[in-house]
Amino acid sequence: MSRKPIIAGNWKMNLLQSQAKEVFEGVKDFCKDYTAQELPTVVIAPVFTSISAVESVKCDCGCGGKKISIAGQNCHWENSGAYTGEISVEMLKDAGCDYVIIGHSERRQYFSETDEMINKKAKAILAGGLIPIICCGETLEQRESGVTDSWISGQIKAALEGISSEDVAKSVIAYEPIWAIGTGKTCDSDEANRVIAMIRNTVKEVAGAEAADSIRILYGGSVKPNTIAEQMSKSDIDGALVGGASLKAESFNEIIANTMKVAVNA
Ligand code: 13P
């Protein structure tokens, strides 16, 4: 089965509205020379206050703004209510988002996001017609003590609990080893591919072969223009969740370009 690659930029807590617009326009300018078919699925996750700024300059080449999709960096599982500081799936959809990143290690670490919350968020996102990008990954300590696979398969099973195979199939998972995030220490691509194949096997266990075959699983952690080609050449890596290198259009575009050189299947 051929899976269309995804290159997603997670801007984290960076870029003011004018800066966000500028980077987005730079990516749009690059994408205009390619058809949506030629491009990987390109996703950008700005801070909430910049979503409407980038939405306002979304691609107008006739692709219906679909060449570059927008993602929220988090959401709540309720539609509305007394949850100060939170944002719902409906609100993200209303603002123009198609994807929502959940379970990022920074949210798990600094904001006490639990597997149970991630599962509720995934269900709410899918019920709202958006696509969750579910993050998982191990600490250096866990890797060194040999529990990487059991830890990650546990995170995946918990996140997908009670979700139909059909919904699992359209979801996205991002494997982001915590020790590789923002450190410049990219995970060896054979090892990243091994873990991602293990994740796919876990998906097969909980949602069946078809879902495992369809679900797109990304690698994240110090992805740069010069690392992506090798990563994309691996059997199970379907794309990348990019942090630092997505903050400049030049490096993000280079990552998209190098992805297209290796494999855009669908
Ligand atoms: P870096 O690409 O900066 O390592 O960040 C990865 C990440 O956390 C993306 O979600």
Side-chain angles (χ1 to χ4, degrees), residues 4-8 36 39-43 66-67 69 99 216 264:
K4 188 173 176 75
I6 301 183
I7 298 298
L39 288 164
T41 302
V42 178
V43 181
K66 289 298 170 200
K67 273 190 190 171
S69 297
Y99 294 81
R216 290 180 287 176
V264 173

Side-chain angles (χ1 to χ4, degrees), residues 10 12 104 176 180-182 221-223 241-244:
N10 175 9
K12 308 190 180 184
H104 193 283
E176 299 204 307
I181 296 176
S222 298
V223 171
L241 183 56
V242 186

Side-chain angles (χ1 to χ4, degrees), residues 83-100:
Y83 301 99
T84 303
E86 291 294 324
I87 192 157
S88 74
V89 173
E90 199 177 25
M91 289 161 187
L92 290 172
K93 192 175 178 177
D94 187 46
C97 292
D98 292 313
Y99 294 81
V100 190

Side-chain angles (χ1 to χ4, degrees), residues 8-12 101 104-106 135 174 176-185 219-224 240-247 255:
N10 175 9
W11 286 354
K12 308 190 180 184
I101 297 171
H104 193 283
S105 60
E106 288 149 16
C135 302
E176 299 204 307
I178 296 169
W179 49 270
I181 296 176
T183 58
K185 287 186 202 149
Y219 167 76
S222 298
V223 171
K224 304 285 179 236
L241 183 56
V242 186
S246 71
L247 293 172
I255 290 173

Side-chain angles (χ1 to χ4, degrees), residues 228-234 257-265:
I228 190 69
E230 190 184 319
Q231 288 153 343
M232 288 308 299
S233 71
K234 302 296 170 191
N258 290 343
T259 299
M260 286 194 286
K261 280 184 203 153
V262 182
V264 173
N265 300 315

